Amino acid sequence: MKTHFYLYALTGLVCLASTSCGSKNNVKAEVSKLNDAFPTAKSAPAVAPESVANPGSSQAVDVNAVVNSAVQSLKNNDHVGAVTYLNTVQQQKTLTAQQHIAVHETIEKVYADLILRADRGDPKAKAALAQLERQLSQ
């Protein structure tokens, strides 16, 4: 599972090399991609973090409710929560190609933003990256 973290970190660094990645505005822009890929998610009830399956689990969940929770987390700058929710969505077998791409790109942008902020010395970003690494290693 640690390799997933390093894969996302490497992807984030590559993304940072281009000028289109690495700012909070780009992370917030991912909300519209998620809303486009999951049009009924806006009307779904948000779910509590405790009720979301383990990101490594393939247990079926209410995808729209979990996406809605991820969007709310992004809007509240809760990057760890957003990635946790999106990892759960990514494990679902019923997603379309557009949905997979939207989820994957959002996770990449969140990691890129966290890496950029951590490199600039942001202690919250460093803590978020450490927490995500712990989650992926479980």
Side-chain angles (χ1 to χ4, degrees), residues 1-137:
M1 288 302 208
K2 262 190 172 177
T3 57
H4 289 276
F5 172 76
Y6 295 116
L7 175 65
Y8 285 125
L10 178 62
T11 303
L13 290 174
V14 170
C15 187
L16 286 174
S18 74
T19 58
S20 65
C21 295
S23 72
K24 284 185 183 182
N25 291 337
N26 286 330
V27 171
K28 298 258 183 183
E30 293 305 305
V31 169
S32 64
K33 284 185 185 177
L34 288 173
N35 286 333
D36 289 345
F38 298 90
T40 58
K42 288 184 242 179
S43 61
V47 296
E50 307 83 46
S51 67
V52 176
N54 182 351
S57 170
S58 60
Q59 176 184 351
V61 297
D62 181 351
V63 172
N64 287 316
V66 178
V67 168
N68 185 21
S69 298
V71 166
Q72 294 308 314
S73 293
L74 286 172
K75 288 180 178 179
N76 294 326
N77 291 321
D78 176 9
H79 292 84
V80 173
V83 170
T84 301
Y85 286 123
L86 292 173
N87 281 334
T88 299
V89 171
Q90 200 170 40
Q91 299 298 317
Q92 304 310 301
K93 307 226 184 284
T94 59
L95 301 182
T96 66
Q98 179 191 12
Q99 290 170 330
H100 275 290
I101 291 168
V103 169
H104 180 75
E105 287 178 353
T106 301
I107 292 171
E108 281 184 345
K109 294 269 174 89
V110 170
Y111 270 103
D113 180 61
L114 288 172
I115 290 168
L116 178 67
R117 290 176 31 222
D119 285 346
R120 291 180 180 163
D122 182 343
K124 289 182 181 180
K126 290 178 183 180
L129 284 170
Q131 186 175 355
L132 288 168
E133 183 177 8
R134 280 191 305 274
Q135 284 180 358
L136 289 172
S137 66

